[in-house]
Amino acid sequence: MLKTLLLGASILAITTAAQAATATRSDFGTAGGAKVEAVTLTNAAGMSARIMTLGATLQSLLVADKAGKKEDVVLGYDTAQEYLSRPNYFGASIGRYANRIAKGKFSLDGKAYTLETNDGPNSLHGGSKGFDKQMWKIESVSSGADARVVFSYVSADGEAGFPGELKVTATYSLNEQNELKLEYRATTSKPTVLNLTNHSYFNLSGNDARDVMGNLVTLHAEKFTPVDATLIPTGERKPVAGSPFDFRSAHRVGDRIRDARDAQIRYGRGYDHNFIVDGAPGTVRPAAMVEEPVSGRVLEVSVSAPGIQFYTGNFLDGTFFGKAGRSYRQGDSICLEPGVFPDAPNHPDFATARLNPGQSYLNTIVYKFSAK
Ligand code: GLA
């Protein structure tokens, strides 16, 4: 009897172990002479995410199509060195401030701060040596009901022009529901501003087989924040109704992307805009859905952030050669970057980007995959 029980228990243990999501560490070459490591999270269904220490970057994401075929659904490079030398932010963790700060200037408690301007007149994604270019440390790796890796990075007081020493972690976890969850956390030694996010470029066709113009996109947003010609928000919150920005029900990306009668489409060279996610910021709620009709792959994005930047890779100009041996061009991918609104430090009526000592920052992003 005891023997049977023990046998039963060990079979159970084996089955659980076989079904558990696993995390494994490996070398991922070098970048700028420094060693890069990667962690691969794999669930029992075979979905797998590889994240490397350079930029805490999501380097590959294998997801099944409707026939069960697993292919890579994110743009990127084969080697860490290419991520360091080519400024696309493919899959990277962005900080200190994702998106733009007008003229690289803001003030906090009466003190003016100046940042590097690396995007025309503005500062973009924390400057030319943002968190995407930093080597993160692997804090912990674990397998189980979900597979998980925690990366950390300490940004020195004054780094890239921002006040306060910022201690940051990026947690990636993958569960059996095909949800890849990202949690960006931070604490600061002085009042500061921040906007941490992930900059994955999704192409659900798998191995970049097709562009994204036929993808069906839904954005749970009644309003978006229009921009000026340098992509800085004007301050307005504009209803999407009746415009090419209305994705409240699913629309093909390509249907209205060339509608040059709309100045916002002209400024963005297509879509490169922050949408105000319906519902209460701070609670994780649906923000976006992307459906790729041929492969059947579906991506649902849930966020805790007030906004999400919908960007169609408009600056990819065919000079970037990616993993599948393809050159990346405009419209080859969709980015969905959840965060506070662009240039929030200069818009007191936008949700605040401020973090005080003693407070903890958290930005939660869930990418859920399925196929139909
Ligand atoms: C964000 C911006 C875009 C572009 C990309 C990176 O999505 O909104 O304008 O700068 O990052 O190339």
Side-chain angles (χ1 to χ4, degrees):
M1 171 66 176
L2 183 65
K3 217 171 162 185
T4 327
L5 267 180
L6 283 177
L7 188 67
S10 64
I11 288 173
L12 186 69
I14 291 165
T15 334
T16 330
Q19 282 178 350
T22 58
T24 52
R25 274 172 95 139
S26 59
D27 287 339
F28 197 69
T30 59
K35 197 176 147 216
V36 179
E37 273 192 274
V39 174
T40 305
L41 312 176
T42 309
N43 69 13
M47 178 175 156
S48 96
R50 178 158 62 202
I51 307 106
M52 64 168 170
T53 49
L54 174 66
T57 297
L58 179 62
Q59 191 268 337
S60 90
L61 186 59
L62 303 182
V63 175
D65 68 4
K66 62 187 174 197
K69 189 171 176 201
K70 281 153 202 124
E71 290 170 308
D72 203 345
V73 298
V74 290
L75 270 53
Y77 298 113
D78 285 320
T79 66
Q81 184 57 47
E82 290 166 286
Y83 283 89
L84 190 62
S85 17
R86 314 251 25 211
N88 301 111
Y89 312 96
F90 288 142
S93 295
I94 308 294
R96 286 194 188 193
Y97 199 92
N99 216 301
R100 294 173 178 78
I101 294 184
K103 313 238 168 12
K105 289 191 190 307
F106 68 95
S107 55
L108 208 55
D109 301 331
K111 189 168 184 273
Y113 294 89
T114 303
L115 312 169
E116 179 195 350
T117 50
N118 59 331
D119 185 66
N122 304 317
S123 177
L124 176 69
H125 295 330
S128 58
K129 201 158 189 296
F131 290 3
D132 58 300
K133 299 281 186 297
Q134 306 292 349
M135 215 57 88
W136 294 55
K137 196 175 141 205
I138 298 174
E139 286 293 333
S140 66
V141 170
S142 60
S143 303
D146 62 22
R148 177 180 293 256
V149 54
V150 181
F151 297 92
S152 68
Y153 176 67
V154 179
S155 175
D157 188 2
E159 186 180 288
F162 292 92
E165 182 190 70
L166 200 68
K167 291 190 172 147
V168 182
T169 62
T171 303
Y172 285 76
S173 58
L174 175 65
N175 65 18
E176 297 301 346
Q177 288 70 52
N178 288 342
E179 289 173 338
L180 180 68
K181 184 176 184 183
L182 279 62
E183 291 156 295
Y184 289 102
R185 291 186 165 81
T187 55
T188 183
S189 66
K190 292 179 186 166
T192 193
V193 293
L194 80 167
N195 190 25
L196 310 180
T197 196
N198 181 275
H199 205 306
S200 286
Y201 288 67
F202 294 100
N203 182 323
L204 301 184
S205 69
N207 299 346
D208 314 321
R210 290 172 291 283
D211 68 33
V212 301
M213 289 302 131
N215 285 196
L216 287 162
V217 168
T218 307
L219 296 172
H220 300 286
E222 297 275 341
K223 291 179 180 170
F224 76 114
T225 52
V227 288
D228 67 17
T230 75
L231 301 183
I232 294 293
T234 58
E236 191 189 349
R237 291 169 169 85
K238 194 174 180 187
V240 294
S243 80
F245 295 85
D246 190 352
F247 285 93
R248 291 173 299 171
S249 59
H251 279 84
R252 282 160 40 101
V253 172
D255 283 351
R256 300 164 298 175
I257 200 170
R258 292 171 193 264
D259 188 352
R261 292 167 302 178
D262 190 306
Q264 289 301 314
I265 291 285
R266 295 202 300 273
Y267 294 157
R269 307 174 178 205
Y271 297 108
D272 192 354
H273 295 82
N274 168 62
F275 287 72
I276 303 175
V277 180
D278 296 341
T283 54
V284 178
R285 62 212 190 281
M289 178 158 79
V290 183
E291 300 162 86
E292 206 278 323
V294 182
S295 68
R297 289 190 185 90
V298 177
L299 163 62
E300 289 163 272
V301 185
S302 300
V303 307
S304 64
I308 193 165
Q309 184 83 7
F310 173 48
Y311 170 60
T312 41
N314 312 332
F315 293 108
L316 298 177
D317 61 3
T319 64
F320 304 98
F321 312 116
K323 285 180 283 192
R326 275 173 69 89
S327 77
Y328 294 141
R329 303 171 66 94
Q330 279 196 332
D332 276 350
S333 67
I334 289 173
C335 296
L336 293 159
E337 309 152 55
V340 292
F341 303 170
D343 199 31
N346 293 309
H347 292 268
D349 63 325
F350 284 177
T352 187
R354 181 182 177 124
L355 184 71
N356 292 320
Q359 293 179 322
S360 33
Y361 169 94
L362 172 61
N363 187 15
T364 304
I365 307 168
V366 183
Y367 301 123
K368 183 180 170 63
F369 291 88
S370 54
K372 63 178 186 191

